[in-house]
Amino acid sequence: MQQLDKRYYTLTVKQALVDLNTDPENGLEDQEASLRLSQYGQNVVEDKRRKSMLSTLLRQFSNPIVWMLLLATGAAFVFRHLVEAVAVLIVILINTTIGFLMERQAIRSMDKLKSLARAKAKVLRNGERRTLDSADLVPGDLLLIQAGDLVTADARLISVNNLSLKESALSGESTQVAKNTAPLSDGIPVADRSNTVFKGTEVIKGKGVGVIFSTGRQTELGKITALAQGASKEATPLNKKLRELSVRLIWLTTALTVLIFISGMIRGESLLLMIETAIALAIACIPEGLPVISTLSLARGMIGLLKKNVLVKTLESVQTLGETQVIFTDKTGTLTENEMRVRVVALDGFIEDFSDEISHNKQLKYHPAFHLFSKAAVLCNDADLQDRINGEPKAVGDPEEVALLRLSGDLSDDIEQIRTQNPRMAEVPFDSQIKMMGTLHSCENGYLTCVKGAWEEVSGRCSKIFREGQPQHFDNKTEWNRKVEELARSGLRVLSFAFRISEDIPQQAMLLDDLVFIGIAGFMDPARPDIKESILCCQQAGIKVVMVTGDHPGTAVAIATAIGLSDGEPSSHIHGKEILEKHLSAQTVDRLLQASVFSRVDPAQKLGLVSLYQQQGLVVGMTGDGVNDAPALRKADIGIAMGVRGTGAAKEAADLIINDDAFTSILAAIQYGRVIFDNIQTFVIYLLSCNLSEILIVALASFLELPMPLLPLQILFLNMITDVFPALAIGMSRGEPELVMNRPPRKPSEAIVSKANWISIVAYAGCLTAGVLGAEFYVFSTAGGESKLVNNVTFCTLILAQLWNVFNMAQRKTPFFANQITANKYVWLAIFFCLGALMITYQIPALPSALSLVSLGHGLFGIVLVFSLIPVVLVQLLKRGFGIIG
Ligand code: ATP
């Protein structure tokens, strides 16, 4: 693959464009771009090591289980038991093949999700603006960036407008770096290359165009990532917990097998048989499938969540979702529809209500301040009511700004004319920190500054008000303040407007100062229809929902009360400025923890809030959409970015992207996260109870001096058939949504297998043992003690009993015949598959003799069937009859 290692920061804009052979007006031609894509490769920084088939295959052999099996093969060869040696080799082959296939499937799912999570990039190609998957960018592409974007390749800037970036991904510095286009001298370090933007950095302010010179691994970020990858490992906390559990089980098993070995030797069993049994038991007890089955079920969960509009970026997040205790949610668009309509406009001495929707008959347009208001609303506005497509007007941009354009249009002002007569010369983009935006325009009598934003901020910068056709002293702020409060309390979102006309071009830094107040507009943004129900559902699930908004306290409390999130009491509401006080008293902390609405919160305060809750040991989910939200999204245990409204930077920082921006989808994700963890817990319980029963059966039979109930290869067979497939099927279960969302969140410190679970495991294993040893004892005492028959009956009873044991995994509170297990088609498939495999085993030459199988006949098979059902009856008695197990 080709590399470009020119120092583009030393070239002039023209030289860079010539060198990269790019037309600055039209960008690359499509044909040229695809040629370069094959030349330079995709713009991705991925770890190739994990992906190769060979490395996946080799990983299957780095497993102690496989070593033990190889040891067993060696022992069988040494003692000249060729059939067994070959059989164990086949077992190794099957085991590694299953492991290999499952891991490939998990990798494929992860890759699919990764490609979906990949950022999009805007470029100029063939003279058109296009939005591309960032993987398709090539050197020479003209990259268009603006505030909120994540830079997706390294590019030499060719034009900038007030452009600033946060380059902490590269430099670790979180300060903003201003950019320009001037060439620099050679040898300047990366952090000081002010004419270059780098992959992975975030645009905080302004706009710019750059010509891409490095993609993928050639970018600065790519080089760092390549260095860091040597040390990276993708183990989720869940996998770590599973590994810890496996290690503990290995010790337990070793102790038990030594005991069984010694007791066998004392009874005079053959040495080889006892070595093989000990090894087989050890293998039987270690749930080697756990990590890969859990990875698969997490990955499958991620795919399932995608269908519910939720893109989860890491396996770990699926797990954390189930543990979420607090959700900080913004208001606009998440709890509300974000379908804004101007409901009220108030100018000096005048208020107009638009609730009856007959806007063209309104008096507003005759007010002396109306045209100024309309100008500010149209000019200080980045939205567009584009040309009609299919007869429908298609609006783009912030819904609030769209609503303002519609109002002006409806009230007869020509939007396009206003915009062409007053071209924009400079701007201060909206920022949730300053809660305002401002634009500078040239106009007939000089320069016009238009400002809109939060009442507190705008009014603070206005010393005059536009009254009776001219600026006058702003002497009635208190009255206006009351008006704003009143509108906010009725649930309206309020924006204030101001202007200034000057003869000279004002300095950028002074653009928002010394303004003349025009008036306010109140917007209606209805709550989402399903939101009340979702909030209630969260409350039942023990999840605290907290509204954290940049909006006015009155609006925030009104909406929160309407949707059942707050009781409207003053104690439930807190103003953002209280969050960042340096030394919080215990009482304040308590108030902050009790509150359900935080208003006028800026991104730094959001971060403070997340930290405060995390310090109390709570697992916090936080939603966000702006570029400034990125730190809080990263800090939260689950950062949730909005798919529609979210900026590239917010999406990059988040763990979860909600494609439809709806709060309900967050709830669905949490429910899913809980179900997935439950499934993992259930198959762990299932596997451990089956394994424990095998140990108990062999140990008890040996103490009771019954014939060997299970031979080594039979144990291996049992595990390959009854362990993996039913466990996999349980991992696919849909869960019991009502039960799952009717209990508090699981604590992160909680072990996968709790004390109560251990009691259940022992109970299930005990019941399995009772049924199977019952069969053995019955046949031993009635069938004349023929040891091969006795062994076969025990073996078959255990196979069936373990298969039926799947049905014991249903929760006590659900009916026996209608629950998540019986409703799971994969469970039935697994059972049929296992029964089929058992039947086929009898037909394949050499296999019955390797497994020491003989034909049982109807009578004995009847006994097998009856005794295999005994554990289910016993467990159900304990579960539903006596309520001893859950
Ligand atoms: P939420 O966090 O629930 O989405 P929000 O949208 O009100 O609430 P911010 O986007 O931080 O939060 O906005 C804070 C305030 O800034 C708003 O209440 C409004 O007064 C003002 N504001 C919002 N958008 C704009 C804009 N495009 N131009 C000017 N001012 C704005």
Side-chain angles (χ1 to χ4, degrees):
M1 214 157 296
Q2 283 217 9
Q3 296 181 16
L4 291 170
D5 57 0
K6 275 238 169 71
R7 294 177 181 84
Y8 283 90
Y9 61 92
T10 61
L11 305 185
T12 62
V13 167
K14 209 166 169 194
Q15 284 167 332
L17 286 165
V18 169
D19 197 81
L20 288 157
N21 203 4
T22 301
D23 172 357
E25 301 299 320
N26 299 310
L28 294 177
E29 297 276 319
D30 279 335
Q31 214 179 357
E32 175 64 17
S34 45
L35 200 71
R36 293 192 189 190
L37 191 62
S38 54
Q39 207 176 350
Y40 297 107
Q42 282 212 314
N43 176 31
V44 285
V45 187
E46 266 167 26
D47 186 0
K48 293 270 186 308
R49 284 172 308 126
R50 282 187 57 78
K51 285 197 158 178
S52 89
M53 299 261 245
L54 186 67
S55 63
T56 315
L57 189 65
L58 289 179
R59 253 198 307 284
Q60 311 308 315
F61 290 94
S62 67
N63 177 345
I65 311 297
V66 177
W67 304 341
M68 280 176 133
L69 285 172
L70 286 172
L71 202 75
T73 321
F77 269 120
V78 170
F79 289 95
R80 304 204 173 281
H81 288 234
L82 283 185
V83 177
E84 288 190 6
V86 171
V88 182
L89 276 178
I90 292 174
V91 168
I92 296 176
L93 201 71
I94 295 178
N95 219 359
T96 44
T97 310
I98 292 176
F100 174 80
L101 290 178
M102 290 208 286
E103 202 172 325
R104 290 301 302 170
Q105 177 60 38
I107 290 176
R108 263 200 299 274
S109 310
M110 291 299 297
D111 280 353
K112 186 177 164 206
L113 288 157
K114 264 190 196 151
S115 72
L116 286 170
R118 230 173 355 235
K120 300 274 178 254
K122 282 176 271 219
V123 292
L124 198 64
R125 276 211 191 152
N126 267 6
E128 294 168 10
R129 283 170 71 103
R130 300 226 185 117
T131 303
L132 301 182
D133 185 331
S134 60
D136 296 333
L137 298 182
V138 292
D141 258 331
L142 288 184
L143 183 67
L144 313 173
I145 49 173
Q146 65 182 51
D149 285 352
L150 185 82
V151 181
T152 43
D154 289 0
R156 165 74 166 90
L157 289 164
I158 61 168
S159 77
V160 294
N161 179 2
N162 198 17
L163 184 68
S164 281
L165 282 98
K166 199 166 98 183
E167 299 190 332
S168 51
L170 273 187
S171 61
E173 297 285 330
S174 57
T175 45
Q176 290 186 20
V177 187
K179 296 284 177 180
N180 55 50
T181 56
L184 298 164
S185 49
D186 201 359
I188 296 256
V190 173
D192 297 332
R193 290 183 198 159
S194 53
N195 59 16
T196 309
V197 289
F198 300 99
K199 186 179 172 85
T201 59
E202 297 158 14
V203 186
I204 302 289
K205 235 176 31 194
K207 294 177 188 166
V209 182
V211 56
I212 295 176
F213 60 87
S214 281
T215 55
R217 296 199 143 224
Q218 301 311 316
T219 59
E220 292 301 324
L221 183 80
K223 289 178 203 160
I224 298 175
T225 317
L227 284 179
Q229 260 171 8
S232 73
K233 236 185 175 171
E234 271 184 39
T236 65
L238 183 68
N239 270 350
K240 277 188 216 138
K241 276 188 188 173
L242 287 173
R243 251 179 241 146
E244 280 161 24
L245 180 70
S246 295
V247 169
R248 238 175 273 153
L249 286 172
I250 287 176
W251 284 114
L252 187 76
T253 315
T254 315
L256 280 170
T257 38
V258 168
L259 251 176
I260 291 173
F261 179 80
I262 295 171
S263 83
M265 293 311 293
I266 293 170
R267 278 187 297 119
E269 300 279 3
S270 95
L271 176 68
L272 173 66
L273 184 68
M274 285 329 290
I275 290 177
E276 284 183 342
T277 310
I279 291 176
L281 267 183
I283 293 162
C285 296
I286 301 162
E288 69 274 16
L290 279 190
V292 72
I293 298 180
S294 79
T295 306
L296 254 187
S297 76
L298 287 174
R300 192 178 163 273
M302 290 166 86
I303 307 257
L305 276 168
L306 199 58
K307 291 189 191 131
K308 293 184 183 290
N309 280 322
V310 182
L311 178 64
V312 189
K313 293 209 280 187
T314 61
L315 286 176
E316 196 176 327
S317 312
V318 180
Q319 186 196 343
T320 319
L321 268 174
E323 297 164 358
T324 309
Q325 292 162 307
V326 184
I327 306 174
F328 290 120
T329 168
D330 52 7
K331 171 178 65 67
T332 314
T334 313
L335 301 175
T336 65
E337 300 252 35
N338 207 11
E339 297 265 323
M340 306 270 182
R341 225 167 48 78
V342 180
R343 185 70 189 272
V344 170
V345 174
L347 304 174
D348 177 60
F350 174 87
I351 187 156
E352 182 88 86
D353 192 335
F354 291 90
S355 37
D356 61 0
E357 295 192 25
I358 316 167
S359 52
H360 45 271
N361 285 335
K362 295 291 175 182
Q363 295 302 308
L364 176 66
K365 57 187 173 191
Y366 305 114
H367 190 279
F370 171 68
H371 286 293
L372 202 51
F373 167 80
S374 186
K375 256 188 185 171
V378 169
L379 294 175
C380 187
N381 191 318
D382 289 326
D384 260 319
L385 300 173
Q386 272 186 348
D387 285 343
R388 285 160 198 265
I389 296 172
N390 305 332
E392 289 288 322
K394 186 178 171 250
V396 277
D398 179 28
E400 213 165 31
E401 297 191 337
V402 169
L404 285 171
L405 291 186
R406 290 215 167 109
L407 179 82
S408 288
D410 282 356
L411 294 183
S412 82
D413 265 341
D414 185 342
I415 298 166
E416 277 320 304
Q417 200 181 355
I418 296 180
R419 284 187 168 170
T420 36
Q421 282 173 356
N422 305 278
R424 192 184 287 193
M425 298 168 65
E427 66 191 40
V428 176
F430 171 70
D431 183 330
S432 45
Q433 202 106 32
I434 57 167
K435 298 185 173 60
M436 296 193 279
M437 77 176 268
T439 50
L440 177 70
H441 309 262
S442 59
C443 66
E444 286 165 6
N445 27 7
Y447 298 94
L448 171 67
T449 305
C450 297
V451 174
K452 76 175 192 304
W455 157 253
E456 300 93 313
E457 305 297 332
V458 175
S459 63
R461 291 161 190 256
C462 294
S463 51
K464 296 193 171 124
I465 178 170
F466 193 75
R467 185 181 291 151
E468 292 160 1
Q470 56 184 322
Q472 294 190 17
H473 180 53
F474 198 176
D475 52 4
N476 56 344
K477 271 193 192 174
T478 332
E479 198 182 305
W480 274 98
N481 196 29
R482 254 202 313 275
K483 212 171 282 177
V484 170
E485 292 279 334
E486 197 181 307
L487 292 182
R489 268 202 304 276
S490 65
L492 296 188
R493 187 175 161 84
V494 184
L495 269 190
S496 306
F497 295 82
F499 81 105
R500 182 185 54 227
I501 291 187
S502 50
E503 284 177 10
D504 303 319
I505 299 183
Q507 285 176 2
Q508 176 86 16
M510 314 285 281
L511 206 60
L512 302 180
D513 289 339
D514 194 18
L515 302 169
V516 181
F517 184 74
I518 308 172
I520 57 175
F523 298 78
M524 186 63 203
D525 181 16
R528 284 184 182 262
D530 45 8
I531 197 70
K532 244 181 159 167
E533 211 179 308
S534 303
I535 302 267
L536 196 68
C537 192
C538 279
Q539 284 158 355
Q540 279 163 357
I543 303 165
K544 183 176 160 81
V545 182
V546 182
M547 179 196 279
V548 180
T549 175
D551 214 339
H552 188 280
T555 319
V557 172
I559 304 266
T561 313
I563 60 175
L565 199 151
S566 159
D567 52 11
E569 291 296 318
S571 61
S572 67
H573 165 252
I574 285 184
H575 196 284
K577 62 178 182 246
E578 284 188 50
I579 303 168
L580 278 190
E581 275 172 22
K582 279 232 167 72
H583 301 289
L584 296 174
S585 65
Q587 205 183 2
T588 316
V589 170
D590 214 42
R591 280 188 53 232
L592 292 174
L593 294 174
Q594 293 305 320
S596 49
V597 182
F598 291 85
S599 64
R600 287 294 189 227
V601 175
D602 68 26
Q605 292 160 345
K606 271 191 182 182
L607 185 63
L609 207 52
V610 173
S611 306
L612 179 81
Y613 271 66
Q614 282 179 332
Q615 279 157 19
Q616 315 301 313
L618 295 165
V619 179
V620 178
M622 161 69 86
T623 70
D625 47 19
V627 57
N628 292 336
D629 289 337
L633 290 175
R634 282 206 188 93
K635 177 88 178 90
D637 300 281
I638 286 278
I640 307 163
M642 297 302 148
V644 183
R645 278 178 297 131
T647 54
K651 287 183 195 167
E652 180 65 20
D655 305 293
L656 223 75
I657 301 172
I658 304 290
N659 286 337
D660 61 356
D661 289 12
F663 181 82
T664 319
S665 301
I666 304 177
L667 188 65
I670 289 180
Q671 178 177 324
Y672 222 89
R674 288 188 179 193
V675 166
I676 291 167
F677 189 87
D678 275 9
N679 287 348
I680 292 175
Q681 198 172 38
T682 311
F683 74 62
V684 171
I685 294 175
Y686 172 77
L687 280 179
L688 294 186
S689 59
C690 288
N691 293 352
L692 184 61
S693 71
E694 287 158 26
I695 297 200
L696 288 177
I697 289 166
V698 174
L700 281 176
S702 127
F703 291 127
L704 296 173
E705 307 219 332
L706 290 169
M708 198 60 168
L710 299 168
L711 297 170
L713 282 184
Q714 290 174 342
I715 296 177
L716 290 177
F717 180 87
L718 259 171
N719 279 298
M720 274 165 36
I721 303 294
T722 46
D723 264 22
V724 179
F725 295 101
L728 255 180
I730 293 172
M732 309 269 188
S733 186
R734 296 240 165 99
E736 307 280 3
E738 296 83 42
L739 292 184
V740 158
M741 293 309 273
N742 254 319
R743 56 165 202 237
R746 192 173 36 81
K747 291 203 182 70
S749 56
E750 216 171 274
I752 295 182
V753 185
S754 67
K755 260 193 201 134
N757 295 146
W758 277 116
I759 294 175
S760 304
I761 291 169
V762 172
Y764 297 142
C767 294
L768 283 172
T769 311
V772 175
L773 277 188
E776 174 163 31
F777 193 74
Y778 179 79
V779 180
F780 180 65
S781 48
T782 57
E786 213 276 279
S787 67
K788 209 163 195 180
L789 269 188
V790 175
N791 162 275
N792 270 233
V793 166
T794 320
F795 171 60
C796 291
T797 313
L798 184 56
I799 288 191
L800 294 192
Q802 289 194 342
L803 287 182
W804 311 151
N805 190 30
V806 173
F807 297 106
N808 289 332
M809 299 300 125
Q811 297 193 33
R812 191 194 328 158
K813 289 180 190 147
T814 56
F816 181 71
F817 290 106
N819 53 54
Q820 57 161 331
I821 302 286
T822 52
N824 181 346
K825 64 173 187 265
Y826 297 104
V827 163
W828 295 103
L829 262 175
I831 290 177
F832 286 122
F833 176 79
C834 293
L835 290 175
L838 180 64
M839 281 190 247
I840 289 170
T841 309
Y842 281 94
Q843 314 301 325
I844 297 174
L847 217 59
S849 82
L851 287 168
S852 311
L853 295 181
V854 288
S855 187
L856 285 182
H858 294 304
L860 284 178
F861 185 73
I863 291 171
V864 165
L865 197 62
V866 170
F867 277 92
S868 72
L869 287 169
I870 287 178
V872 183
V873 177
L874 287 178
V875 168
Q876 293 311 313
L877 264 178
L878 289 176
K879 223 178 205 183
R880 296 166 200 274
F882 302 108
I884 297 173
I885 45 179

